[in-house]
Amino acid sequence: MSTLETRREQMFPKFSAAEIDRLRRYGSARRYPAGTFLFRAGEISPGMFVVLSGTVAITRHEGLGAVRPILDAGPGDFTAEVGQLSGRPSFVDARAVTDVETVLVPTDALRTVLIAEAEMGERIIRALILRRVGLIEMGAGPVLIGPAGGRDVLRLQGFLARNAFPYQVLDPTDDHEAATLVERYAPRPSDLPLVVCADGSVLKNPGEGELARCLGMVRIDHPERIYDVAVVGAGPAGLATAVYAASEGLSVIVVDSVAFGGQAGASARIENYLGFPAGVSGQDLMGRAYVQAQKFGAEMVIPDQVVRLHCSEACLALELADGHRVKARTAVVASGARYRRPALANLEAFEGRGIWYWASPIEARLCRDQHVALVGGGNSAGQAAVFLSPFAARVSIVVRGDGLAASMSRYLIDRIEATSNVEVLTRTEIVELIGTPGLHLERVRWRRDHTGDVADLPIRNVFLFIGADPATEWLRDCGIALDAKGFIRTGSDGHAPRPLPLESSIPGVFAVGDVRAESVKRVGAAIGEGAAVVAQLHTVLAETAAAVR
């Protein structure tokens, strides 16, 4: 049973007359004659509409033209989903069936409601989140047209899934309308997949940035604004910084090149995070933090890459890959680390065709009843192995060391030992990837170092979790002190200009999470640093304000 059916009352709560009276203080009356649209899919809704009288049909587009009903909203119902918090385009149409009277609560005022009206705000935020989950289940949003399991189809699926963005996939071999579009727009195989955006535009095998722009995912709301804090990276440390800073009234903008959640967002299940005894998926935990930051007014620019930090100007400036600049009084570097790639021939040719750097339900379905390999001995590898074990026939964890105890939490080791189809191959390394470059990986050859034995196995999917390097190359022109491995030195270790533990050698630039030298590479520690840095930001901002006076 879908989320839409099981949690309908929470998804579509009704406001009482008394609650509507309170909401009137935050909005204004709007009337719409029958047949007119309050907003359309692909457009930015002006805010949350509360229906006072009449009926509003909420519908979604399915496939390449069919319209499906979601709800007939009547008195006491409201229109919005979680994208409303950041002013992103709608996934649905809202059309007046009869003459309609509403109260429109603009987006900025909606965030005020969530904070000022605690009980009502809790119900609203739960509904907004569940509505996004329902849209994902229904497959609202852009249509991807291409062969199921194709490399670029999977690439775009993964990108949208990591950003909790609804989408649907049509295989032209099974869908006549999709095949017709392929004939018209994609004469070459390299043109696939096609992506049909909400505004009807068609993209040919787009990059993630091009797709994000078409979908309205990337937008800087206040391009001339000087923010109190610019956060680079939307992993646990960056999102924690955003939540605590924005909740204390600071203006915050967050930039990430891929998706919210960082490496933690790719964790299938985190079982040693405080307060979640049954465990929680990294996507769920980070998704909540992502919404929470927007609730307090933090602006999100995802995906967009910071290519340079300008720190010699009157205020700090982040230069983005799309040419925009973001100005801020302080900056928090939470860009984390990127998984390393082993020195294997043809590795790049098989990325997305059997070589993966995270394990999600998309990849798990590709591994059903297969023998798969995971390379690495850290928690990410252990979590992925446990997650994949119900799908795969056999999971081999390949590690170069003598065991897992030095790098993996005990609870994961115990779980692996108790899972019959998971094996740990110590002192072993993959030495060759076999297959036709440009097609799918077919076989893997590994060597057991202690015996010299070489095995050649029909493994078509390999997951790599072999450590990470700091994402600090974009700081090269700023002169920030780094350690020998490229991590950012902070506090007295980084010769910070004042005794602030998380400040770098450049005044006003801080580092938190995995990118910081000597940091503890754990989700809890990263969130703690994100919270701790906010007090230090206040110190710098107060000094700056005093200097201006």
Side-chain angles (χ1 to χ4, degrees):
M1 188 174 291
S2 72
T3 299
L4 184 63
E5 295 168 326
T6 60
R7 307 184 77 172
R8 191 175 186 89
E9 288 187 4
Q10 292 181 313
M11 292 178 74
F12 304 111
K14 283 184 177 288
F15 291 130
S16 67
E19 289 172 330
I20 291 174
D21 284 341
R22 294 210 306 274
L23 286 170
R24 290 179 190 272
R25 294 180 296 165
Y26 302 96
S28 59
R30 294 287 181 91
R31 292 175 175 81
Y32 295 86
T36 60
F37 284 87
L38 283 68
F39 55 86
R40 296 176 183 265
E43 297 177 354
I44 298 174
S45 168
M48 178 180 78
F49 288 93
V50 182
V51 181
L52 303 180
S53 65
T55 302
V56 176
I58 309 298
T59 57
R60 67 181 178 90
H61 296 268
E62 183 180 85
L64 298 175
V67 176
R68 296 285 183 264
I70 296 177
L71 174 76
D72 282 341
D77 291 322
F78 66 92
T79 69
E81 61 92 36
V82 76
Q84 190 70 65
L85 296 179
S86 55
R88 295 307 186 249
S90 173
F91 296 106
V92 300
D93 294 332
R95 181 179 58 83
V97 178
T98 64
D99 290 349
V100 170
E101 183 181 4
T102 71
V103 171
L104 171 61
V105 180
T107 296
D108 288 345
L110 174 58
R111 290 195 289 263
T112 302
V113 169
L114 297 178
I115 297 168
E117 304 283 347
E119 189 277 333
M120 189 161 43
E122 180 181 345
R123 290 165 56 210
I124 294 172
I125 198 73
R126 183 184 297 116
L128 299 187
I129 293 171
L130 288 174
R131 290 175 184 185
R132 173 58 66 94
V133 173
L135 289 170
I136 291 173
E137 287 187 357
M138 290 185 289
V143 181
L144 310 185
I145 300 174
R151 176 185 182 181
D152 289 307
V153 172
L154 294 173
R155 172 178 60 84
L156 296 179
Q157 278 187 273
F159 166 71
L160 293 171
R162 289 194 68 175
N163 282 284
F165 204 94
Y167 67 91
Q168 53 187 309
V169 179
L170 296 179
D171 191 326
T173 61
D174 301 325
D175 187 283
H176 174 70
E177 287 184 89
T180 300
L181 273 182
V182 168
E183 289 179 6
R184 178 178 178 184
Y185 289 102
R188 300 168 301 178
S190 60
D191 292 332
L192 294 178
L194 296 175
V195 180
V196 183
C197 300
D199 63 0
S201 58
V202 178
L203 306 179
K204 298 181 181 180
N205 195 9
E208 287 84 341
E210 182 184 3
L211 176 58
R213 289 188 293 275
C214 182
L215 300 179
M217 295 172 65
V218 181
R219 192 183 75 246
I220 298 177
D221 295 328
H222 308 289
E224 301 305 319
R225 185 176 191 175
I226 299 178
Y227 294 85
D228 292 322
V229 188
V231 182
V232 183
L239 290 177
T241 301
V243 167
Y244 285 99
S247 68
E248 294 184 15
L250 301 181
S251 58
V252 180
I253 188 167
V254 182
V255 185
D256 194 288
S257 62
V258 180
F260 67 83
Q263 291 187 33
S267 295
R269 180 158 293 274
I270 302 171
E271 296 190 55
N272 61 347
Y273 185 71
L274 187 68
F276 291 87
V280 61
S281 77
Q283 180 82 353
D284 285 346
L285 181 64
M286 293 296 98
R288 294 175 187 181
Y290 178 64
V291 173
Q292 193 175 18
Q294 293 175 85
K295 166 187 171 180
F296 289 117
E299 290 185 31
M300 298 291 172
V301 182
I302 303 174
D304 206 339
Q305 185 174 5
V306 180
V307 296
R308 187 168 286 102
L309 173 62
H310 297 273
C311 49
S312 60
E313 302 176 11
C315 65
L316 300 169
L318 304 178
E319 182 181 337
L320 307 184
D322 64 5
H324 285 98
R325 278 196 176 199
V326 173
K327 296 181 180 181
R329 297 177 180 88
T330 63
V332 177
V333 181
S335 49
R338 299 190 179 97
Y339 284 118
R340 295 178 186 138
R341 288 167 163 78
L344 288 170
N346 295 329
L347 178 69
E348 185 174 350
F350 291 121
E351 289 178 333
R353 294 185 170 97
I355 295 294
W356 314 100
Y357 296 92
W358 78 316
S360 77
I362 295 171
E363 290 77 27
R365 288 193 292 270
L366 298 175
C367 299
R368 190 173 297 279
D369 300 326
Q370 294 184 18
H371 182 187
V372 303
L374 286 90
V375 182
N379 279 3
S380 295
Q383 290 160 352
V386 171
F387 171 70
L388 291 171
S389 61
F391 299 88
R394 182 180 176 189
V395 179
S396 296
I397 301 177
V398 179
V399 294
R400 299 181 66 177
D402 293 325
L404 301 175
S407 55
M408 188 178 292
S409 296
R410 186 69 237 177
Y411 82 91
L412 277 171
I413 296 174
D414 293 342
R415 182 72 54 80
I416 287 167
E417 290 176 349
T419 305
S420 61
N421 66 333
V422 179
E423 64 176 351
V424 180
L425 302 176
T426 60
R427 300 177 65 184
T428 302
E429 62 179 319
I430 292 178
V431 294
E432 188 175 357
L433 303 173
I434 302 169
T436 303
L439 300 178
H440 206 279
L441 178 68
E442 297 174 3
R443 306 180 69 83
V444 165
R445 183 169 294 147
W446 62 49
R447 182 177 61 239
R448 309 295 302 275
D449 290 344
H450 56 298
T451 64
D453 292 342
V454 174
D456 189 337
L457 299 169
I459 293 176
R460 293 175 53 82
N461 290 284
V462 176
F463 296 82
L464 301 177
F465 303 96
I466 57 172
D469 296 313
T472 54
E473 67 280 354
W474 56 279
L475 296 168
R476 60 188 180 276
D477 297 330
C478 208
I480 288 179
L482 307 176
D483 70 7
K485 296 180 179 179
F487 292 91
I488 299 173
R489 296 181 182 274
T490 56
S492 58
D493 180 57
H495 308 294
R498 68 199 114 214
L500 297 177
L502 299 173
E503 191 172 28
S504 74
S505 58
I506 300 298
V509 179
F510 295 79
V512 294
D514 288 2
V515 76
R516 190 177 69 83
E518 307 302 327
S519 65
V520 178
K521 306 300 190 280
R522 288 288 186 270
V523 172
I527 291 173
E529 290 187 6
V533 77
V534 175
Q536 299 172 41
L537 292 170
H538 279 300
T539 298
V540 174
L541 291 169
E543 290 177 355
T544 302
V548 172
R549 290 196 298 268

